[in-house]
Amino acid sequence: MGSVIDIDWLVLAAFFGLLAIPLLLNRFYQLELGRDIITSVARMTLQLVLVGVYLEYLFDFNSAVINLLWIVAMVLIGASAIISKSKLPASKLMLPITTGLFAGLLPILAIITLLVIKPSPLFSAQYLIPLAGMLLGNSMSGNIVSLQTFFSALETRRGEYEAALSLGASTRYATLPFVREAIQRSLAPTIATMATTGLVTLPGMMTGQILGGASPIIAIKYQLMIMVAIFVMMTISVAIALKLTVRNCINKEGRLLVSSHSSE
C-alpha cells in the first residue's frame, strides 16, 4: 500500500470555499443558520488544529497519567455537550450522564487494549485517545436522543404516567415505557447503520485507514471492532444514564423535577 498523501494548507483553505453552497441555501430558504454554520466551522477548525498539535506531543510523551486525564476531560466535555444540546439542567443530569459515559467507555477500552489490539505500551496514546474519541463521539448523539425522548414522552403522556402511579406502581415501573422508548430510539440509527455498512456506506475509520495506506482487510477488522464497541458502549451508557436520571429527576412522590424545556 502507498504512503499517506498530504494535503497542502492552501488547498485545504480553498476547499472550504464549498461552504458557500450551504450558506447560499441558508440565505435562499431563510433558515437562519448562517451564524451557527460559520461559528461551528470556525470552532471545529480551531479545535482540531490545536488538538492535532497537542496530540503530536501527546503521542511522543505517551504518559499513562496524562492519557487518562485527557480521557477524563473528554468525558466531562462530552457530558456537558449532551446536556446542553438536550436543553436540560446540568445540576440534575451531569452525574447520570458522566457515570453512564464512564461505565460504557472504560470497560470497552480495557477490553480493546488488553485483549484485542494489545499495543505496546498498553496505554499508548496513538490507540487510546482516537478510540476513546470515536466511542464518545458516537455515544453523544445516542444519549441526546434518549434524554429528549424520555422527557418529551413523560410530558406528552403525563396522564399515562400519573395513572400508573395512582394505581400504586413504583416510579421505576411507571417510567419503564418511557425508558424503553428512549433506548429504542437512541439505538435505532446505529442498528440501521450496522445493517447497511459495507453496502451503502464505508465508515470513517475504515476509509481513513485505507487512505492512510493500510490493507483493506486490516481496515475492515478495525471497523468491525469499532462498530461493535460503539454499539455496546452506547447501549451501556444510555441505559445507565436513564436509570440514574430517573433517580435524580423524579422525587419519591413521583413528581418530575425537570422538564424537556428547562435548562441552566
Side-chain angles (χ1 to χ4, degrees), residues 154-213:
L154 270 178
E155 289 192 357
T156 57
R157 295 160 58 189
R158 184 179 292 274
E160 179 183 336
Y161 171 67
E162 292 177 347
L165 289 175
S166 66
L167 292 173
S170 64
T171 301
R172 177 187 173 278
Y173 185 84
T175 57
L176 185 58
F178 312 109
V179 170
R180 183 184 297 119
E181 181 182 348
I183 295 176
Q184 287 173 337
R185 290 198 180 185
S186 66
L187 298 182
T190 303
I191 293 173
T193 298
M194 288 192 295
T196 57
T197 296
L199 292 175
V200 179
T201 61
L202 288 179
M205 184 180 191
M206 177 179 171
T207 303
Q209 285 194 311
I210 292 174
L211 291 176

Side-chain angles (χ1 to χ4, degrees), residues 212-228:
S215 162
I217 297 300
I218 294 175
I220 286 171
K221 292 178 183 177
Y222 271 85
Q223 189 62 56
L224 288 170
M225 177 195 71
I226 200 64
M227 289 299 293
V228 171

Side-chain angles (χ1 to χ4, degrees), residues 9 12 41-59 70 77 129:
W9 282 106
L12 182 60
V41 171
R43 287 186 58 177
M44 173 189 70
T45 303
L46 179 61
Q47 289 166 181
L48 283 176
V49 169
L50 291 176
V51 167
V53 172
Y54 178 73
L55 289 180
E56 287 278 353
Y57 293 100
L58 189 66
F59 286 1
W70 182 262
I77 293 170
I129 304 304

Side-chain angles (χ1 to χ4, degrees), residues 86-134:
S86 302
K87 295 184 169 70
L88 293 164
S91 59
K92 294 290 184 183
L93 290 165
M94 191 64 180
L95 182 60
I97 301 302
T98 303
T99 303
L101 291 177
F102 272 122
L105 176 65
L106 296 182
I108 300 298
L109 272 182
I111 291 171
I112 290 174
T113 54
L114 292 173
L115 302 176
V116 182
I117 299 178
K118 302 176 184 177
S120 182
L122 287 173
F123 52 83
S124 173
Q126 180 184 354
Y127 292 92
L128 206 60
I129 304 304
L131 286 170
M134 281 186 286

